[in-house]
């Protein structure tokens, strides 16, 4: 296989592309089979500056959205995370050209692409592969994609996605793990979502953008990544209004054109660093953020006794007193984000008093609690409600990340804990946090990534 054709596999290492690192990339995608872990010596106060990357949940929709046009698109501020690698790999496997222009800029061209099937093995590795359904349907009026994978957060149906596709005129069929969509003719339509769903809203937008006539999505999700997808599509020539409100209007256009677009900063990565700063009693300037997107997190942190100073595109988080209890209920945007719930619950184990955390989006988002208990947390869970007795301290332990944000919570716990924490199953974390070890070390964290068969916990931290 010619080296040029391999490019594509898609990590930023591609700038120094060789056949060897192609296989390195493939290995990276198979991390589940490699025993890697993070080893953290806790108790260090974080201080300094940290840079936030582009948003995972925007990037994984923008990449398939490129399929909607026949010209190259350049995406900037692309995060270096495995969900992005997988999305780009799917594009490559389908026949698109993918090229890293620098560490965070990717040029993707779906020119002349004819393929409407997504390779099964890649698609089932992540939740966001469902965006290929909407994008392929929008381009070819047909799509064949496996049922998506993703974090185990309880029941994750896609009925609302299918409802939206049907409303636009598509027939949907699920057989042998594959979703098949086919439409004679995509027509704009009224789509009422029974539940507020980020994925279904974005998929409806992708499928409707080139359909004939007007589509109105009601009860739409309002997250910053919804607005980012609308802005991206509009920069390609789409006609979308109302993104960020609960009614989105899309007037179908015949064709879209290439564009250059910068992915919105990741508000969950930013929030994770904010909580890490607070949990270690630190003082950190978090850069490349949109403070408005962080408001639900900022306001809870202030309630807990953490100082947050907002600037144009950065926030400073610092602590000069004790942390105090609060209650949190997660909700769709602009409510408190479910993707920050495990991190914030971890912080509350360090606060004085009893806090109540209610999960309002996912059925099973307290699976990390058992791991936090190993570190001395006093948390009881009943269904969607967790009661946290703040003990003011955590101690290091060997733990496992059971999903992406659970992993982020364990990192925060490890940074704040006395002693050494060893976190396994970090491939979950690397799905959504790029260069995490480097970023945290820059602000003073003692964290290392080690391959467990060759390094014991103590060797790693003393090394
Ligand atoms: N739901 C349905 N039917 C559907 C779709 C969703 O009943 O067809 C329900 C879900 O079961 C859930 C609720 O609606 O109870 C919200 O689900 P949503 O569709 O909004 O979630 P998602 O699109 O699958 C995205 C993020 C998640 C994030 C949620 C909520 C991506 C790739 N994933 O998931 O991110 O938790 O929105 O904000 O954008 C993460 O980044 O760690 C993560 C899990």
């Amino acid at each position: 296989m010619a080296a040029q054709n391999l490019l594509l596999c898609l990590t930023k290492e591609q700038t120094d592309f060789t056949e060897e690192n192609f296989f390195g990339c493939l290995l990276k995608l198979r991390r589940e089979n490699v025993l890697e872990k993070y080893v953290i010596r806790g108790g260090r106060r974080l201080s300094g500056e940290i840079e936030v990357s582009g948003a995972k949940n925007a990037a994984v929709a923008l990449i398939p959205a490129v399929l909607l046009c026949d010209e190259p698109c350049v995406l900037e501020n692309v995060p270096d995370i495995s969900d992005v690698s997988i999305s780009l790999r799917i594009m490559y496997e389908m026949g698109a050209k993918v090229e890293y222009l620098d560490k965070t800029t990717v040029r993707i061209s779906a020119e002349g692409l004819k393929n409407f099937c997504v390779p099964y093995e890649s698609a089932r590795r992540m939740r966001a592969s469902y965006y290929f359904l909407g994008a392929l349907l929008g381009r070819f009026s047909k799509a064949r994609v496996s049922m998506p994978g993703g974090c185990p957060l309880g029941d994750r149906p896609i009925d609302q996605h299918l409802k939206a596709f049907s409303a636009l005129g598509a027939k949907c069929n699920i057989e042998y793990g594959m979703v098949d969509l086919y439409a004679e003719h995509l027509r704009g339509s009224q789509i009422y979502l029974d539940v507020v769903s980020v994925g279904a809203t974005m998929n409806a937008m992708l499928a409707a953008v080139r359909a004939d006539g007007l589509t109105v999505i009601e009860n739409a999700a309002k997250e910053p990544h919804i607005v980012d997808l609308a802005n991206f599509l509009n920069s390609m020539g789409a006609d979308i209004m109302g993104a960020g409100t609960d009614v989105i209007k899309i007037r179908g256009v015949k064709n879209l054109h290439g564009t250059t677009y910068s992915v919105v900063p990741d508000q969950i990565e930013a929030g994770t660093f904010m909580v890490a700063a607070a949990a270690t009693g630190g003082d950190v300037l978090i850069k490349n953020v949109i403070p408005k997107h962080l408001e639900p997190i900022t306001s809870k942190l202030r309630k807990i006794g953490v100082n947050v100073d907002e600037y144009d595109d950065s926030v400073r988080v610092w602590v000069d007193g004790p942390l105090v209890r609060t209650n949190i209920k997660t909700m769709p945007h602009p409510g408190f984000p479910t993707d920050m719930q495990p991190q914030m619950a971890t912080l509350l184990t360090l606060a004085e008093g009893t806090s109540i955390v209610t999960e309002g989006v996912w059925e099973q988002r307290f699976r990390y609690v058992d791991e936090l208990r190993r570190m001395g947390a006093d948390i009881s869970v009943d269904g969607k409600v967790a009661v946290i007795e703040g003990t003011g301290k955590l101690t290091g332990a060997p733990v496992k990340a059971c999903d992406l944000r659970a992993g982020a919570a364990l990192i925060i716990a490890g940074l704040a804990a006395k002693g050494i924490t060893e976190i396994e199953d970090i491939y979950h974390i690397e799905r959504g946090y790029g260069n995490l070890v480097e970023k945290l070390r820059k602000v003073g964290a003692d964290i290392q990534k080690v391959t467990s068969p060759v390094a014991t916990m103590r060797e790693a931290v003393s090394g």
Side-chain angles (χ1 to χ4, degrees):
M1 214 177 330
Q4 278 311 315
N5 293 340
L6 294 174
L7 177 52
L8 339 149
C9 98
L10 332 165
T11 70
K12 65 184 172 55
E13 286 103 278
Q14 290 318 128
T15 10
D16 303 318
F17 173 74
T18 63
E19 295 230 0
E20 287 89 285
N21 77 9
F22 172 72
F23 292 106
C25 294
L26 288 183
L27 273 179
K28 187 172 176 183
L29 294 170
R30 291 194 188 121
R31 271 201 181 131
E32 288 91 333
N33 301 327
V34 179
L35 281 173
E36 292 174 322
K37 53 180 94 171
Y38 291 145
V39 179
I40 303 171
R41 194 208 307 259
R44 295 200 167 195
R45 188 175 164 268
L46 299 188
S47 97
E49 296 183 357
I50 201 163
E51 190 94 19
V52 169
S53 301
K56 166 179 94 78
N57 289 344
V60 293
L62 267 50
I63 291 166
V66 172
L67 288 167
L68 286 161
C69 83
D70 222 9
E71 293 178 0
C73 292
V74 175
L75 287 176
E76 300 168 342
N77 201 31
V78 177
D80 181 18
I81 54 176
S82 64
D83 271 12
V84 159
S85 302
I86 294 170
S87 302
L88 291 174
R89 176 180 164 158
I90 292 173
M91 294 291 280
Y92 167 65
E93 287 176 344
M94 292 181 69
K97 291 198 183 90
V98 181
E99 182 186 7
Y100 265 94
L101 304 182
D102 63 37
K103 289 185 175 184
T104 56
T105 308
V106 194
R107 186 174 186 274
I108 311 169
S109 174
E111 207 178 341
L113 192 130
K114 301 267 185 291
N115 193 352
F116 62 91
C117 303
V118 171
Y120 184 86
E121 269 310 309
S122 304
R124 71 180 191 89
R125 300 180 85 93
M126 66 168 186
R127 189 78 196 154
S129 56
Y130 53 38
Y131 291 130
F132 284 88
L133 283 169
L136 288 168
L137 185 65
R139 173 151 176 175
F140 297 116
S141 294
K142 53 189 172 183
R144 190 169 157 75
V145 182
S146 79
M147 285 292 279
C151 285
L153 306 174
D155 195 22
R156 297 188 78 172
I158 59 163
D159 58 305
Q160 298 304 306
H161 303 236
L162 301 182
K163 178 180 175 180
F165 299 144
S166 300
L168 295 167
K171 293 205 168 16
C172 311
N173 192 28
I174 302 179
E175 258 180 8
Y176 304 110
M178 301 298 286
V179 184
D180 272 302
L181 303 177
Y182 172 75
E184 282 291 336
H185 193 80
L186 282 178
R187 283 197 183 80
S189 174
Q190 193 90 4
I191 300 170
Y192 180 83
L193 298 177
D194 304 326
V195 291
V196 179
S197 160
V198 169
T201 303
M202 305 251 241
N203 248 336
M205 290 162 72
L206 291 166
V209 80
R210 288 178 61 178
D212 269 348
L214 180 70
T215 296
V216 180
I217 308 171
E218 289 182 274
N219 201 25
K222 300 184 277 235
E223 272 69 3
H225 25 292
I226 307 274
V227 180
D228 209 42
L229 177 63
N231 289 343
F232 176 59
L233 292 170
N234 283 342
S235 78
M236 294 164 83
D239 182 355
I240 303 176
M241 286 191 321
T245 74
D246 51 15
V247 180
I248 300 177
K249 293 187 178 161
I250 305 166
R251 204 167 287 282
V253 294
K254 280 227 154 8
N255 289 305
L256 297 178
H257 54 73
T259 188
T260 296
Y261 188 84
S262 183
V263 179
V264 70
D266 194 319
Q267 97 263 29
I268 304 301
E269 188 195 14
T272 302
F273 293 146
M274 290 168 83
V275 174
T280 59
D283 184 349
V284 179
L285 185 70
I286 298 153
K287 294 164 68 176
N288 187 32
V289 301
I290 299 177
K292 173 107 192 112
H293 293 169
L294 302 175
E295 270 171 11
I297 303 165
T298 300
S299 94
K300 278 297 169 194
L301 283 175
R302 285 181 176 147
K303 266 210 145 139
I304 296 171
V306 178
N307 303 296
V308 183
D309 303 338
E310 297 176 345
Y311 304 101
D312 286 349
D313 59 359
S314 59
V315 288
R316 177 184 167 208
V317 178
W318 53 288
V319 176
D320 63 353
L323 302 178
V324 293
R325 60 154 303 279
T326 192
N327 295 338
I328 291 174
K329 175 162 191 200
T330 69
M331 274 182 272
H333 192 79
F336 188 86
T338 172
D339 295 344
M340 280 301 300
Q341 181 261 100
Q343 303 89 312
M344 200 61 105
T346 301
L347 183 63
L348 291 171
T349 66
L350 301 167
E352 286 169 11
T354 306
S355 301
I356 297 176
V357 175
T358 308
E359 173 57 43
V361 178
W362 297 116
E363 275 172 16
Q364 288 176 29
R365 210 164 200 172
F366 287 121
R367 292 167 69 241
Y368 64 90
V369 163
D370 275 343
E371 301 302 295
L372 277 187
R373 284 194 190 115
R374 289 178 204 279
M375 301 181 69
D378 181 352
I379 307 178
S380 54
V381 177
D382 185 3
K384 290 186 163 191
V385 180
V387 179
I388 302 170
E389 301 294 346
T391 56
K393 73 174 175 64
L394 293 168
T395 49
V399 289
K400 279 189 182 181
C402 61
D403 64 59
L404 168 59
R405 308 305 172 187
L410 293 175
I411 288 179
I412 291 167
L415 293 171
K418 191 166 183 291
I420 293 164
T421 297
E422 194 177 85
I423 306 175
E424 284 185 17
D425 291 351
I426 59 172
Y427 61 90
H428 284 297
I429 302 172
E430 295 183 350
R431 285 187 38 229
Y433 293 90
N435 307 313
L436 188 61
V437 168
E438 294 82 345
K439 286 185 184 188
L440 288 173
R441 285 176 74 89
K442 198 172 153 251
V443 287
D446 186 343
I447 176 170
Q448 293 193 44
K449 181 171 160 177
V450 298
T451 304
S452 62
V454 291
T456 65
M457 183 160 82
R458 276 174 207 291
E459 280 162 358
V461 286
S462 58

